Amino acid sequence: MRALIDPVPAEVRTPLLQFIDVAEASDDLGRLYVNTFDLKRKCSLYLTYYANGDTRKRGTALVTILEAYRAAGWEFDAQELPDYLPAVLEFSAMSDSEIAAALLSSHREGVEVLRAALEGMDSPWAGVVRAVTLSLPPIDAATRERYLDLINEGPPTETVGLSFLGNLPPFQVREDA
């Protein structure tokens, strides 16, 4: 990995090398990975989660990503969802298509939320995500505003289909049943 990173500009290379140092010294990186990415909402590696939450709109967003892969001549066949950040980064690194850069840029707010959360936790992965953001074009004021809103409010939640319940009193067990 060190040899592959060597030609990368120093500002991007340094945080990646720092992560490699931590990973080599750690004997419990797997547990830390699970505690970070599987148990914290703001540390999701699934990019559509930030803009769509676990709502019906997320399914459409996932299909759109699959269509973007196909339009670039890339067949997604991983066991993960197509919005999984490492998969999107692999697509970006391996594809010559401008679709790859557009796909990653279209989820910039989510990447920034992830970066901010990891930095706030002093996570060893913070530098890796920072390196990703440093390789992207600078964010504009509107993007900054949207990602700050996501940090404060979190992803959307699904309420469709639940409104019929109204204001129900607590359920009680019937004794005659």
Side-chain angles (χ1 to χ4, degrees):
M1 291 300 296
R2 291 180 192 280
L4 292 172
I5 295 170
D6 201 40
V8 173
E11 68 176 351
V12 176
R13 181 178 59 243
T14 300
L16 295 174
L17 290 173
Q18 290 169 341
F19 175 77
I20 291 171
D21 292 341
V22 169
E24 287 176 342
S26 176
D27 60 351
D28 207 11
L29 204 58
R31 182 187 58 77
L32 183 58
Y33 179 94
V34 169
N35 288 340
T36 301
F37 297 111
D38 293 348
L39 302 178
K40 294 181 178 28
R41 288 183 65 210
K42 290 185 179 176
C43 294
S44 176
L45 290 174
Y46 298 94
L47 296 176
T48 60
Y49 176 75
Y50 294 101
N52 300 291
D54 283 326
T55 66
R56 296 170 199 210
K57 291 180 182 179
R58 186 163 178 221
T60 302
L62 292 170
V63 169
T64 300
I65 291 175
L66 284 173
E67 289 172 352
Y69 286 142
R70 288 184 189 122
W74 188 270
E75 192 59 41
F76 185 79
D77 62 356
Q79 291 182 346
E80 290 291 346
L81 293 173
D83 65 336
Y84 185 56
L85 180 58
V88 173
L89 292 173
E90 178 184 9
F91 170 57
S92 180
M94 303 294 286
S95 175
D96 291 333
S97 173
E98 59 190 43
I99 293 172
L103 178 60
L104 191 54
S105 293
S106 72
H107 293 281
R108 181 65 183 265
E109 294 89 348
V111 175
E112 291 294 339
V113 171
L114 175 61
R115 180 199 51 76
L118 293 172
E119 287 177 352
M121 299 168 37
D122 197 28
S123 167
W125 286 280
V128 176
V129 177
R130 190 176 324 107
V132 170
T133 62
L134 289 170
S135 69
L136 297 172
I139 60 171
D140 58 23
T143 302
R144 182 177 311 284
E145 187 69 29
R146 286 191 304 270
Y147 97 74
L148 290 174
D149 286 345
L150 276 173
I151 288 173
N152 293 326
E153 299 170 17
T157 56
E158 185 77 79
T159 56
V160 175
L162 299 177
S163 60
F164 74 92
L165 295 175
N167 190 11
L168 292 176
F171 293 103
Q172 296 179 355
V173 176
R174 289 179 40 187
E175 294 184 25
D176 63 332

